[in-house]
Amino acid sequence: MLTWVVLLFFSVLARTAAVPVSERAAGTEVRDAVGDRLDVVTRSTSTVTTLSSAQLSALAPYTQFARAAYCPTSKITNWNCGEACKANSGFEVTLTGGDGNDVQLFFVGYWPAQNSVVVAHEGTDPTQFLSVLTDGSVLQKNLDTSLFPGVPSSVWIHGGFADAQAETASAILKETKRLISTKGATTVTLVGHSLGGAIAELDALFMKVNLPSNIHVKAVTYGTPRVGNAAWPAYFDSQVPDFVRVNNEKDIIPIVPGRGLGFAHPHGEIHIVAPNDAVSCPGDDDATDSQCTIATVPNIFVGDILDHLGPYQGINIGTPFCT
């Protein structure tokens, strides 16, 4: 009974309490599978832009990386994880880790098609994750300055997400630097779904503040919860402009923890309204257009947790879909 009282309380906060977030009018790019720039997706504070079929198709390789992150290490090490691995057949895995329990599974490798290092993090069971995001375990903390030098003290992060990212940060950064040196990679790409998306979002800033300025950092996440306070998107946007967070239909996870608890998303929302129909939503966590997530899913009771698994333009993500 208590759990449902807590859920109701936090869902009301998510619906009714607005946290001021910065408004931006800059554009963000979507590139195709070989890195060529497609049409610029306009972001403003008042309009949404419908994605073309080419822009939707360009997301598929990242979706498959996020899907692969759920697969057992034994299959990832030899890049033999079924459809997800076949979709990015030239990828070279160089580091795996995590146990899928205390530490989310992850992999690092080199993607020759993009001359990019790729880091992917596993998510978790969405029904269990929802309870974590909507109970009292939402205390915020400052980022560890030894991992995130220069991040303002005004930035506060969900404590559980910060701890999860810190578990693997040093090993992943070491391997990323090695691949940049040995492969000549010019981009680092972070991907993840659900909890893995939250870790990838933090990883994106982590890479930005720890790698040379000539290394391009991009991130593509799926069904990502809110990671930090209102100061988080303001700082993140300034550091990681090449960021996309994809939300599927009435997925509940992207609206929690609630804005009334002091959480806010950065820019980059792409909302899949229906199959073959997606829009780029403006601003940070203030896209109130009827096609964007916070208007489509005003509280957890009108959402659908199954949408968290996809399909993301025909691709489902989660442990059952590692085939």
Side-chain angles (χ1 to χ4, degrees):
M1 178 65 180
L2 178 60
T3 299
W4 283 106
V5 172
V6 172
L7 287 174
L8 177 60
F9 174 67
F10 286 150
S11 69
V12 170
L13 286 179
R15 178 179 59 186
T16 61
V19 173
V21 292
S22 57
E23 296 183 349
R24 317 228 183 275
T28 185
E29 295 178 354
V30 175
R31 294 176 179 266
D32 67 14
V34 295
D36 295 326
R37 186 167 66 91
L38 299 170
D39 296 334
V40 172
V41 178
T42 301
R43 285 194 297 113
S44 72
T45 58
S46 60
T47 61
V48 299
T49 304
T50 300
L51 270 68
S52 68
S53 58
Q55 289 170 324
L56 284 170
S57 296
L59 292 169
Y62 307 99
T63 315
Q64 296 288 14
F65 278 128
R67 177 186 181 185
Y70 281 87
C71 297
T73 298
S74 59
K75 293 186 176 182
I76 293 298
T77 301
N78 296 316
W79 203 238
N80 186 29
C81 62
E83 293 176 1
C85 289
K86 290 178 182 177
N88 292 313
S89 59
F91 185 65
E92 305 167 14
V93 178
T94 60
L95 177 68
T96 61
D99 58 14
N101 186 17
D102 292 332
V103 180
Q104 300 308 111
L105 297 172
F106 71 88
F107 64 81
V108 184
Y110 178 63
W111 188 14
Q114 294 289 311
N115 194 25
S116 178
V117 177
V118 173
V119 180
H121 291 273
E122 176 199 26
T124 190
D125 182 324
T127 58
Q128 295 180 18
F129 193 35
L130 180 62
S131 67
V132 171
L133 292 171
T134 50
D135 69 13
S137 304
V138 291
L139 295 179
Q140 296 179 355
K141 62 191 292 185
N142 287 126
L143 288 167
D144 183 343
T145 55
S146 67
L147 295 176
F148 292 86
V151 175
S153 60
S154 59
V155 172
W156 291 75
I157 299 298
H158 184 291
F161 299 163
D163 291 345
Q165 190 272 339
E167 289 272 7
T168 60
S170 296
I172 287 174
L173 179 62
K174 180 179 179 180
E175 181 63 9
T176 298
K177 288 181 174 179
R178 188 189 73 81
L179 287 172
I180 290 172
S181 175
T182 59
K183 298 290 189 178
T186 56
T187 298
V188 176
T189 303
L190 298 309
V191 296
H193 167 258
S194 193
L195 173 57
I199 298 172
E201 187 174 315
L202 287 165
D203 263 0
L205 180 62
F206 174 65
M207 293 296 177
K208 183 65 178 180
V209 299
N210 283 286
L211 292 175
S213 59
N214 65 316
I215 301 299
H216 181 74
V217 175
K218 74 173 293 160
V220 183
T221 70
Y222 299 83
T224 307
R226 294 184 176 104
V227 169
N229 68 347
W232 166 251
Y235 186 70
F236 184 89
D237 289 358
S238 71
Q239 298 297 310
V240 189
D242 194 353
F243 176 67
V244 170
R245 52 184 180 88
V246 184
N247 298 331
N248 182 54
E249 299 195 30
K250 290 192 174 184
D251 183 6
I252 299 167
I253 298 300
I255 70 165
V256 289
R259 294 189 296 168
L261 295 174
F263 285 83
H265 276 300
H267 72 284
E269 180 188 355
I270 289 177
H271 185 221
I272 299 174
V273 180
N276 301 312
D277 182 8
V279 295
S280 173
C281 294
D284 288 327
D285 206 4
D286 50 2
T288 56
D289 185 281
S290 62
Q291 298 177 90
C292 298
T293 295
I294 62 173
T296 302
V297 193
N299 61 72
I300 63 173
F301 300 106
V302 301
D304 187 343
I305 193 65
L306 294 180
D307 283 345
H308 187 56
L309 302 176
Y312 295 89
Q313 196 58 20
I315 302 169
N316 288 94
I317 305 177
T319 303
F321 308 107
C322 180
T323 57

